Structure formats: structure tokens, C-alpha cells
Amino acid sequence: MAPAAAPGPVRFLLVLLAAAARPAAAWDLWALRCGFSADCECGFGPDLRGLEFDLATNLVGQPLVRQQVMKGVREFLENPNPVKPLVMSFHGSTGTGKTYESLKRWIQGNLTNCGRSAFLFDEMDKMHPGLIDVIIPFLGPSWVVYGTNYRKAIFIFISNAGGEQINNVTLALWRARKDREEISLQDLEPAISKAMFENPQSGFWKSGIINEHLIDFVVPFLPLKHHHVKQCVVSELVQQGLEVRPGVVQEVADSIPYFPEEEKLFSSTGCKTVASRISFFF
């Protein structure tokens, strides 16, 4: 029997998973928060078995994501008095949303309402360079900013920056006979750092967030293989209340483009187009 999922971590997980599934648009900021009490905790707690279970069962083919997210969130939530908020940066395939640039005022208001909030900044690679630095005062080890204690907040940056580099490193390691599941964060960090530092179009370009080392965890999303896509197809069929037919699962997975052209190892679009393709096979 699956462990009961704590309300806060579950909401947190659902937002992360939704980020990978939304259609392309402009850069967006969105947040999770509870009530309007300055002392509220938004359902977060030290018992993260629910989050761990959901990551293991619903986040397909991302062992490094599970490892980094669980490590970061567990250490952070088990500390009753963190000296700074938890800051994580997700790289690889991401979701997107509406543009929202009134960052300082919006964050200040939400943190006042609830100290245990999670703020997600989507499409960082499309943000104007320098804009994100407006939130630097909220990310460091200060005690209070603008009269608000923000140290229990979680900030997550979601970016396509580094996605191509992650794919290239994963492919190179496969050709060197290192299995995808054996890839470590250390294998990928140099490539991600290079993409963050050297891309003048990125929202992280010459950012104080990078220069002041305010990001606690870098979380890489690896390209998905054929059997991962099949898992996504099965999950989508179940969600739509459709019969899980092995033939349909195979056909949908086969219809998705894979790279490189010769080996066809990894899905070019991850699982993003799975839902829209299913209707063609029923």
C-alpha cells in the first residue's frame, strides 16, 4: 500500500510534473502557497514519503531529478530555521506559461502571506538578461528583507539552457559504454555551467545569482529513451480512461521522432506529444 502523500509535497510535485507538459509560450512566474497566515507552513513537513513515492512512480526516467529534489527538499524542510531559502535550478526539457515581470512586489506580497511558499520561474532562457537579479535580496543568507522573513521559501528556476549539452553528454557517455542510468551529476555539471555562463541570451547571463553562488542544487533532466516514452503512453491511456493495448502503446511510442538519426536512442520531444498522438491510434 502506498504511503499517504503529504498535501504540501504533493502539490509541489504536481507543479514540477506540469511544467514539463504545458504548451510553449512566453516566460512565466507561478507559485504555490497556502492561506494568509504569516505562520503557515503550506502543508510542508519532514515526512516526505509521499513525495518520494510520487517521484519514483510518476516521474519517468529521471533518477538524477529524484535524487537531487529529494536531497534538497528533505534537508531544507528538516531544518526548522534555515539561514536562506532553498534555490534549485532545473535544466533540460521544460514547460512554459505567461509573462509576469513584476517580480519584487509580487514575491514580497506572497512571502508576507506565507513564509513557506514555493516560487517557480519558468523559461529562464527566454528572460531578459539581468531581470532576474531583482530577486537576489530574497535568495541570500539575510535575516529579513523588506520586513519579511523569507528564509523558508523555495525558489525553482526552470530553463532550457543546458538541455542540448545534457543531451550531447548523455549520448557521448552512451557511446563510451556508460549507461544512461549510471550518469552522475558530476558528469553533467560542467556542461550545464558552461551553458548558463556563456549564453548571452539567457536570463542567467552575468547574473549575480550565479556569481554569488546562490543556487543550492542544479537538477538535470536527461533525454528519454523509447521504453520511457512507452511508460508515458501507458500513463496517459490510464488517465484518459482508455484501454491499455500493447499494440497502441508500441505504435504511439514508435511515432515519436528519436535522435541521433542513426541510432534513434532518445526522444526528440520527450513525452510532450504523447497525449496528442494517442487519438490517432483509437
Side-chain angles (χ1 to χ4, degrees), residues 57-77:
T57 57
N58 297 320
L59 190 58
V60 174
Q62 299 296 351
L64 287 178
V65 175
R66 294 199 302 269
Q67 174 190 341
Q68 290 298 97
V69 168
M70 287 308 305
K71 176 178 172 59
V73 174
R74 178 179 285 112
E75 292 177 356
F76 182 69
L77 296 184

Side-chain angles (χ1 to χ4, degrees), residues 5-18 30-35 41-44 51 54 114 116 118 120:
V10 169
R11 289 199 299 272
F12 176 75
L13 169 68
L14 293 177
V15 170
L16 305 189
L17 297 178
W30 29 304
L32 292 172
R33 59 192 176 97
C34 66
E41 292 291 331
C42 294
F44 289 113
L51 174 58
D54 284 335
C114 178
R116 191 65 98 178
L120 293 92

Side-chain angles (χ1 to χ4, degrees), residues 118-169:
F119 298 89
L120 293 92
F121 298 81
D122 207 350
E123 289 290 323
M124 279 298 301
D125 51 306
K126 293 181 173 60
M127 185 185 291
H128 189 279
L131 176 61
I132 196 63
D133 279 359
V134 73
I135 71 167
I136 285 179
F138 300 95
L139 304 182
S142 302
W143 287 97
V144 175
V145 177
Y146 306 116
T148 300
N149 182 341
Y150 67 96
R151 292 171 295 145
K152 292 185 178 181
I154 299 174
F155 292 83
I156 299 174
F157 302 109
I158 304 175
S159 176
N160 286 321
E164 181 179 354
Q165 289 80 358
I166 291 171
N167 292 348
N168 291 339
V169 170

Side-chain angles (χ1 to χ4, degrees), residues 88-99:
M88 310 179 84
S89 186
F90 290 4
H91 297 268
S93 179
T94 65
T96 54
K98 298 178 181 178
T99 301

